[in-house]
Amino acid sequence: MNEEAASATLLGDIVSHIGELKLWNSVVDIQTRTADIEQYFLSDPSVPGYVIMSQGGLFGVLSRKHFTAAISRPFGREVFMKRPVGELVKSIDVEPLTLDENATIAHALRLAMERPGELCFEPLLVKRPDSFGLIDVNMLLTAQANLLEQALHAKDELLDEVERTADALRQTVAEQERLARALSEAKEIAQHEATHDSLTGLPNRKLFLERLEVALAMNKQGPAEDCAVLFIDLDRFKIVNDSLGHLAGNALLIEVAKRLNQMVRKRPVAPVAPGLPPRAADTIARLSGDEFTVLLTEKITSAAAMAFAARLQTALTKPFQLGAETVVISASIGIVPSLLGYDDTESILRDADIAMYRAKFNGKACAVTFEADMRVQVATRLHIENQLREGLGKQEFELHYQPIVALRTGNATGVEALVRWRRPDGLMPPGAFIEIAEETGLIIPLGNWVFRDACETAKLWHAALPDRPPVTMSINLSPVQFGHPELAETLEELVLLSGVDAGTVTIEITERSTMTDPDRALVVLKQLKAMGFRLAIDDFGTGYSSLSYLHRFPIDILKIDRSFISNLGGSGDGEKIVIAILALADSLGITVVAEGVETKTQASSLRDLGCQYAQGYFFAKPLPLEAMWKFMHDPGAAVH
């Protein structure tokens, strides 16, 4: 065979001439699932592509290279794998090079090489009278090279052409190797991005659960208590985010991730029993927001898990430097110390989360080991939350009032409004539902209702007793309410709607509410004071008040916490603390109210110390509206 004969060989004949060349009759319907196409490619690695047919006609060609590139794009697998292959082919939008079976090999290769670089080596579509077939361009090049080598024996002049063809083949192989390396690198990047948090670089929830699944499977083969899961939630992170901005919040999360990552074991350890694989390294992951999890895979006991949590606490309590700002945080940690008895990873994570919330409930900055009865408590809290929502809609809440008494005269000069929840089985005290209302945000509508109803009641009393000094109405604000950005505007609107004089309304806030963000608290308190409200610090002496801020806050009243009152007349320092608070208040021109007065001795001691006002069960317990009205006319009827 000479050079001309080799170049003129027809595509339809070349298969019979060259044993290495194959014409693939790989035809699939347009509705075939992309996932099935992937299996076809995997089952026969030699197939260069598939002819896609639609209603008996040609729709397009899907090559192995374009298929791999499409599903390797970000989210490509999630988008296409369950969809018909026709949608993937549309997204590629590559017109196949179609040739008649009577075309020559030289003509076919010339047309192929005239295509753009990335399409040169796409399979050729060969049209036959009753079917279609695919020819791999690389194999076509190989076939031509073989034909030319055969022709070389007949004519030495073909040598240059053979060498040029061989060079083209080598370049093709090199280009394919380069593309393969690039594709491999792209896959690695995509895999890393799919399993790691973009901000901190830590494993994300998906990867954490995958590794937890492996640990759970190994746990079923080995001894108990060999793994532990810790659920970490940063305390006060929202304050940092809100006060310093999201950039500072992100910077804090990055630094927290670095510290946590330094605490875990990063190398595998020897298996716990013969025949088992080595234990994987520990995993620290960021689930979302300010939540992190740790998987300790080395054999560990409950005490060891708690000790590890203590080390994490120590590491996180060291100050963080965020630019010019120094930030101090803590963390609440829930621990599942063993995977024994668990069948799925979500249950493990759920229980660690439950234990973390118990740590929050216990005062934050601590760690709690999960116990089974905590699930019941969570279910109970969820039930109360649902009932709270219904109760707000059904108006199941009511106010009780506890009188504030002038110690010199015994007359009630004011009352404190206290919310109660009337359930079918009786009244529910606020301690059973206020915390849940705060966690769920329901405290905002509930607190607004309390404020409005108390103001309307005060207005009715003032109108009914025109000859007596107006009774002041004290209303508590939860820390969540106090932190609401529209607090001042809301309270101003509610007091105006009620028609009561703002000067007869006392707003009570706790020390903790003011000291979370003292500068913001100062702004809000000044706004409320400008509206005419009186302001009181509740439970004074139990929080973190700074005397410098107390001097700056426009406070009218300090309410001494009941814990100090209960020690009056005893051997403790209660009396000394009360004397100190009275002296401090007197120097600042602030009125003092003693809370929790339960005995005549306590009332007498407070009066002798110079305290002007008090409230407590000695005078009256919190009373419903009608009973409170009677007390105002006959205080002795309710005295205990």
Side-chain angles (χ1 to χ4, degrees):
M1 179 183 292
N2 58 26
E3 179 181 2
E4 293 180 357
S7 298
T9 302
L10 303 180
L11 292 177
D13 298 330
I14 196 169
V15 176
S16 60
H17 284 292
I18 306 297
E20 303 87 51
L21 194 62
K22 179 180 178 181
L23 184 66
W24 279 274
N25 295 314
S26 309
V27 179
V28 297
D29 187 79
I30 189 173
Q31 295 300 324
T32 303
R33 289 191 323 140
T34 302
D36 294 334
I37 298 298
E38 182 180 41
Q39 292 303 314
Y40 297 161
F41 277 126
L42 292 174
S43 63
D44 188 353
S46 65
V47 176
Y50 284 90
V51 179
I52 311 301
M53 303 294 289
S54 174
Q55 298 180 352
L58 174 67
F59 181 78
V61 171
L62 177 61
S63 70
R64 181 183 293 272
K65 183 180 77 172
H66 279 131
F67 176 82
T68 303
I71 67 171
S72 298
R73 292 199 300 264
F75 302 105
R77 178 171 289 275
E78 288 80 357
V79 171
F80 291 116
M81 291 307 282
K82 294 182 179 180
R83 307 295 300 166
V85 70
E87 296 185 13
L88 186 144
V89 174
K90 288 181 181 178
S91 73
I92 296 173
D93 194 23
V94 174
E95 187 72 18
L97 179 56
T98 305
L99 297 169
D100 189 84
E101 66 174 346
N102 293 322
T104 65
I105 185 173
H107 178 67
L109 286 174
R110 183 168 64 255
L111 292 178
M113 295 306 157
E114 287 175 356
R115 305 186 82 189
E118 69 276 9
L119 301 177
C120 285
F121 300 98
E122 285 294 291
L124 302 179
L125 183 65
V126 178
K127 184 177 180 182
R128 287 185 159 184
D130 56 352
S131 65
F132 292 97
L134 292 176
I135 288 183
D136 185 79
V137 174
N138 290 327
M139 295 187 69
L140 198 58
L141 286 167
T142 302
Q144 185 189 43
N146 290 340
L147 290 171
L148 291 174
E149 286 178 358
Q150 294 174 17
L152 181 62
H153 295 289
K155 191 174 182 180
D156 292 340
E157 288 80 358
L158 293 177
L159 180 60
D160 291 340
E161 181 65 23
V162 172
E163 290 179 351
R164 285 193 296 272
T165 303
D167 287 341
L169 284 171
R170 285 191 290 270
Q171 292 175 10
T172 299
V173 172
E175 177 63 15
Q176 287 187 330
E177 291 176 349
R178 186 191 69 79
L179 291 175
R181 288 193 300 270
L183 180 59
S184 177
E185 292 173 0
K187 287 182 177 179
E188 290 179 4
I189 293 173
Q191 175 67 16
H192 185 274
E193 291 177 348
T195 56
H196 287 75
D197 175 48
S198 60
L199 178 64
T200 63
L202 294 176
N204 59 14
R205 183 187 185 94
K206 178 178 182 293
L207 182 55
F208 182 83
L209 289 177
E210 287 177 358
R211 293 182 179 178
L212 183 56
E213 185 72 45
V214 173
L216 183 60
M218 292 182 63
N219 177 264
K220 294 178 180 178
Q221 304 176 46
E225 292 191 334
D226 57 347
C227 294
V229 172
L230 283 72
F231 198 113
I232 305 166
D233 185 89
L234 303 184
D235 303 325
R236 300 180 69 251
F237 175 75
K238 185 177 185 300
I239 297 173
V240 175
N241 227 19
D242 292 345
S243 59
L244 301 182
H246 291 289
L247 290 179
N250 287 345
L252 177 60
L253 291 174
I254 292 171
E255 293 305 314
V256 166
K258 290 179 181 178
R259 290 193 189 179
L260 294 176
N261 205 30
Q262 292 171 356
M263 304 291 294
V264 297
R265 179 180 51 79
K266 300 180 178 63
R267 294 184 178 180
V269 296
V272 296
L276 295 178
R279 290 194 169 278
D282 296 336
T283 298
I284 171 74
R286 180 187 177 213
L287 292 195
S288 63
D290 59 344
E291 294 179 340
F292 297 83
T293 49
V294 178
L295 171 62
L296 302 176
T297 56
E298 190 174 5
K299 183 178 180 181
I300 192 168
T301 64
S302 179
M306 182 61 74
F308 181 81
R311 293 197 298 274
L312 289 182
Q313 292 277 16
T314 301
L316 291 177
T317 53
K318 295 177 182 178
F320 291 87
Q321 195 66 39
L322 306 179
E325 299 289 340
T326 300
V327 174
V328 178
I329 63 169
S330 60
S332 298
I333 303 176
I335 304 172
V336 171
S338 170
L339 306 189
L340 185 65
Y342 286 98
D343 295 320
D344 63 276
T345 57
E346 288 293 349
S347 296
I348 300 170
L349 210 56
R350 175 204 62 203
D351 289 349
D353 189 20
I354 290 173
M356 182 276 292
Y357 272 103
R358 172 55 64 90
K360 292 277 189 187
F361 179 77
N362 289 350
K364 304 180 180 180
C366 64
V368 170
T369 299
F370 174 78
E371 297 176 359
D373 62 352
M374 292 181 184
R375 294 194 192 111
V376 177
Q377 296 166 6
V378 169
T380 300
R381 289 172 68 86
L382 181 60
H383 175 72
I384 293 177
E385 177 186 339
N386 293 332
Q387 294 297 312
L388 264 174
R389 297 182 189 278
E390 292 183 10
L392 281 170
K394 295 178 179 179
Q395 298 180 342
E396 295 178 348
F397 295 91
E398 61 185 59
L399 294 183
H400 286 202
Y401 304 88
Q402 186 172 42
I404 298 172
V405 176
L407 289 172
R408 291 295 178 188
T409 65
N411 294 329
T413 61
V415 297
E416 180 179 354
L418 300 166
V419 66
R420 298 291 186 266
W421 186 4
R422 185 165 294 282
R423 305 289 295 138
D425 54 351
L427 283 179
M428 183 182 291
F433 62 87
I434 288 297
E435 180 188 352
I436 299 175
E438 290 179 334
E439 289 180 1
T440 58
L442 294 174
I443 193 66
I444 299 300
L446 176 60
N448 290 343
W449 174 85
V450 168
F451 195 89
R452 182 181 69 251
D453 196 67
C455 288
E456 290 174 353
T457 298
K459 175 65 175 177
L460 291 175
W461 285 350
H462 296 165
L465 302 171
D467 298 330
R468 293 176 54 176
V471 176
T472 61
M473 180 67 72
S474 295
I475 307 171
N476 293 283
L477 294 186
S478 86
V480 176
Q481 284 179 278
F482 191 71
H484 196 278
E486 299 177 359
L487 171 70
E489 294 83 352
T490 299
L491 298 190
E492 182 179 34
E493 179 181 355
L494 292 175
V495 78
L496 288 174
L497 289 173
S498 71
V500 74
D501 180 5
T504 63
V505 177
T506 300
I507 296 175
E508 295 190 13
I509 54 176
T510 63
E511 286 184 87
R512 294 175 186 269
S513 297
T514 61
M515 296 314 299
T516 299
D517 186 352
D519 292 331
R520 178 191 174 276
L522 179 60
V523 172
V524 174
L525 291 174
K526 285 183 176 180
Q527 288 177 328
L528 296 175
K529 189 65 178 176
M531 295 173 187
F533 293 111
R534 302 176 76 223
L535 304 176
I537 296 291
D538 196 14
D539 301 331
F540 184 74
T542 61
Y544 308 101
S545 285
S546 164
L547 293 181
S548 62
Y549 277 106
L550 184 61
H551 176 72
R552 294 168 59 192
F553 289 158
I555 299 299
D556 300 290
I557 300 168
L558 289 182
K559 302 190 74 172
I560 305 177
D561 185 69
R562 66 183 62 246
S563 61
F564 303 122
I565 305 304
S566 64
N567 290 325
L568 283 178
S571 58
D573 294 328
E575 184 172 316
K576 295 178 181 179
I577 294 174
V578 171
I579 292 172
I581 294 175
L582 288 170
L584 172 65
D586 183 64
S587 67
L588 296 175
I590 297 175
T591 301
V592 173
V593 176
E595 295 183 291
V597 179
E598 298 183 354
T599 67
K600 183 177 180 179
T601 300
Q602 292 172 350
S604 299
S605 297
L606 287 165
R607 183 175 58 249
D608 295 341
L609 291 174
C611 183
Q612 296 175 298
Y613 301 96
Q615 68 183 99
Y617 274 36
F618 173 69
F619 305 104
K621 65 181 181 180
L623 302 171
L625 182 59
E626 292 184 4
M628 185 65 229
W629 178 254
K630 292 180 181 178
F631 176 86
M632 293 172 66
H633 290 82
D634 182 13
V639 171
H640 285 219

